[in-house]
Amino acid sequence: MLRISREHCVRSRAEPGCVAHNVHVDAENGSRIVFVEYWHDEAALRAHFAAPESRAFAKALGGLAAARPEMTVYRAEQVNLA
């Protein structure tokens, strides 16, 4: 799962509008991986989800997962603490 996830991240970083795309292993649950992505706008994110490579990745990852993968998308904004 990590190998194809890392490959997916590298490929995704080359897509228009991708600022960052990373995969992480949960320190408390080693069988859980988390993706942290930063896209220029929602249109770029939607284009990423629609890309055939992204759809193939999701299908491949689902086939390897012990349980059905869950995805939650958040809209975040930077906070200046200074």
Side-chain angles (χ1 to χ4, degrees):
M1 290 178 71
L2 283 176
R3 180 185 59 76
I4 68 170
S5 294
R6 284 191 300 263
E7 291 170 357
H8 175 69
C9 288
V10 170
R11 183 178 54 252
S12 297
R13 289 181 200 129
E15 292 180 29
C18 183
V19 178
H21 197 294
N22 302 288
V23 62
H24 305 274
V25 176
D26 186 321
E28 295 180 358
N29 179 352
S31 65
R32 181 176 183 218
I33 59 174
V34 177
F35 290 88
V36 178
E37 306 174 25
Y38 176 23
W39 293 88
H40 179 40
D41 55 29
E42 190 173 326
L45 176 61
R46 289 186 183 279
H48 167 67
F49 287 151
E53 297 85 358
S54 291
R55 297 169 79 75
F57 165 72
K59 184 175 181 178
L61 192 66
L64 296 171
R68 185 169 184 214
E70 297 177 27
M71 180 173 66
T72 305
V73 178
Y74 295 94
R75 184 183 314 268
E77 61 184 49
Q78 186 173 348
V79 176
N80 185 354
L81 298 176

